[in-house]
Amino acid sequence: MFVTDIRKEFYEVVANQRVVLLVASDMDALCACKILQALFHCDQVQYTLVPVTGWQDLGTAFLEHKEQIKLLIKQDDDLGVPSYDDIFRDEDDDEEGGDSGNESDESSEPTGKRRRFDEGAVERRIERHVLMAAMMFFELAWVLTKDTKDMLWWAIIGLTDQWVHDKITNMKYVTDIATMQRHVSRHNHRNEDEENSLSIDCMRISFEYDLRLTLYQHWSLYESICNSSYTSCNFKLWTLNGQKKLQEFLADMGLPLIQVRQKYNSMDMSIKENLRDVIEESANKYGMKDIRIQTFGVHFGFKNRFLASDIVHATAALLESTEKDESDSNNFIKALDSLSRCNIERLHHGIELAKKKLIAIQQTVASCICTNLILSQGPFLYCYLMEGTPDVKLFSKPMALILLCKYLLKAFVHSTRNKRCKLLPLIMAAPKDVEKGTVIVVGIPPESDTSDKKNFFGRAFEKAAESTSSRTLHDHFDTSSK
């Protein structure tokens, strides 16, 4: 069941036959897919890409390819992976009510029985494991001495996505950043020929200690400050006092308002040279002592420069785009293409979509706070976006709703005098498909919780659904969030 020889049982097998790539519809899987494509030179290898959106897709894959599936994990990872017989059961077993199946009847005839995927078995056996596919496949390429700078950059994007969407703790992020930094140093010290290093198509990755201001290099500094959850919540920009405090902050930095409001690329070079230091110095006076974070940047040629978080927001916006009502598969392919250096135009389009999403999030947060839409339900906080709410369609996607949920909880904690709210998780719901009457639900831990705890929201809703009417249907819950 497990791969023991990476080259013989994985690389050589995949390189010589048609394969099916089953990948989740999220950023980490997207980056892992790009690494695999580069590793196996997919212009020569036949492959089929199947985005996995839930346990049912995974169950179908097991049923169709049970003899060919191999698990590729690190030696020190203990996933507690169940066997095939543990996660699939005969439909007849459902009628036996709680029979563990340990007593087998050898005389029974298995022919004709249908096998059904047991989601609960997987949830019970694999409680939670933060395994970043992009980083794992990069390390696989490294072991095979086939890693490239592009693969390294995709692994960095996968890691940054885990941090942006709060799927790992800050400690885990910092630890993995250090690992990636060693790989960056190794690649930067490789002896590349002079012609390639000076080419307009060259790629340079650098470790950065940059600002926690979303997309500020592709926006105006003012808009980035207003639409970044870190600064917006600290200033409480949904209030008049918050707006006043922001003006004081800009005045303290000594930056002309005309410079702050125009695009970053149009700002005077003399201002941009010391901008990060100036912002950090003033931010410390306003209690924002960790406005700078460890991250990575990349240069494509001489013109295009991006931070890892820029790519995360842009690609996530493409992946969850609600433009033209395109299918999830089409969005997945477009997001996948945006990670290639030759598709900079698509990446810039993703950045524009990300800006619209961030503005919608900021406006929705302000609306929810000012209209008291966050309700206390005893052990948790609850907020429901009603049908007809502006931009509600954007929040029918999981990553967008997670960002909104995180932003809203942080804003609520900053705006309320009730200290107990820091100890309460937030559950947020929004319409997913109005015609079908479905709802998407997200649950995040308390704002004060920085530990690496299991997410029990999924299991709670699973039990709630089981206890209600049989007409209540529900999809899987992503239990990776901390």
Side-chain angles (χ1 to χ4, degrees), residues 205-218:
I205 304 174
S206 58
F207 175 75
E208 306 277 352
Y209 193 51
D210 218 309
L211 298 170
R212 189 180 290 193
L213 297 177
T214 310
L215 299 174
Y216 79 94
Q217 295 180 9
H218 308 276

Side-chain angles (χ1 to χ4, degrees), residues 439-475:
V439 175
I440 180 171
V441 181
V442 165
I444 62 172
E447 176 67 16
S448 60
D449 184 10
T450 58
S451 62
D452 191 8
K453 294 181 179 179
K454 296 175 182 177
N455 183 346
F456 292 105
F457 283 111
R459 181 164 298 173
F461 282 104
E462 294 280 347
K463 291 181 178 179
E466 290 173 1
S467 64
T468 57
S469 169
S470 59
R471 291 175 295 176
T472 301
L473 302 177
H474 59 282
D475 241 334

Side-chain angles (χ1 to χ4, degrees), residues 347-398:
L347 183 59
H348 281 295
H349 177 59
I351 288 177
E352 294 306 311
L353 290 179
K355 291 177 184 177
K356 293 178 181 178
K357 182 171 74 172
L358 290 168
I359 291 173
I361 289 175
Q362 192 273 338
Q363 292 175 345
T364 304
V365 167
S367 176
C368 290
I369 295 292
C370 295
T371 57
N372 299 316
L373 286 183
I374 302 178
L375 306 175
S376 177
Q377 299 292 330
F380 61 89
L381 301 170
Y382 176 74
C383 180
Y384 179 66
L385 294 182
M386 300 294 293
E387 182 183 338
T389 302
D391 301 306
V392 72
K393 190 175 181 180
L394 285 173
F395 306 119
S396 64
K397 305 292 184 177

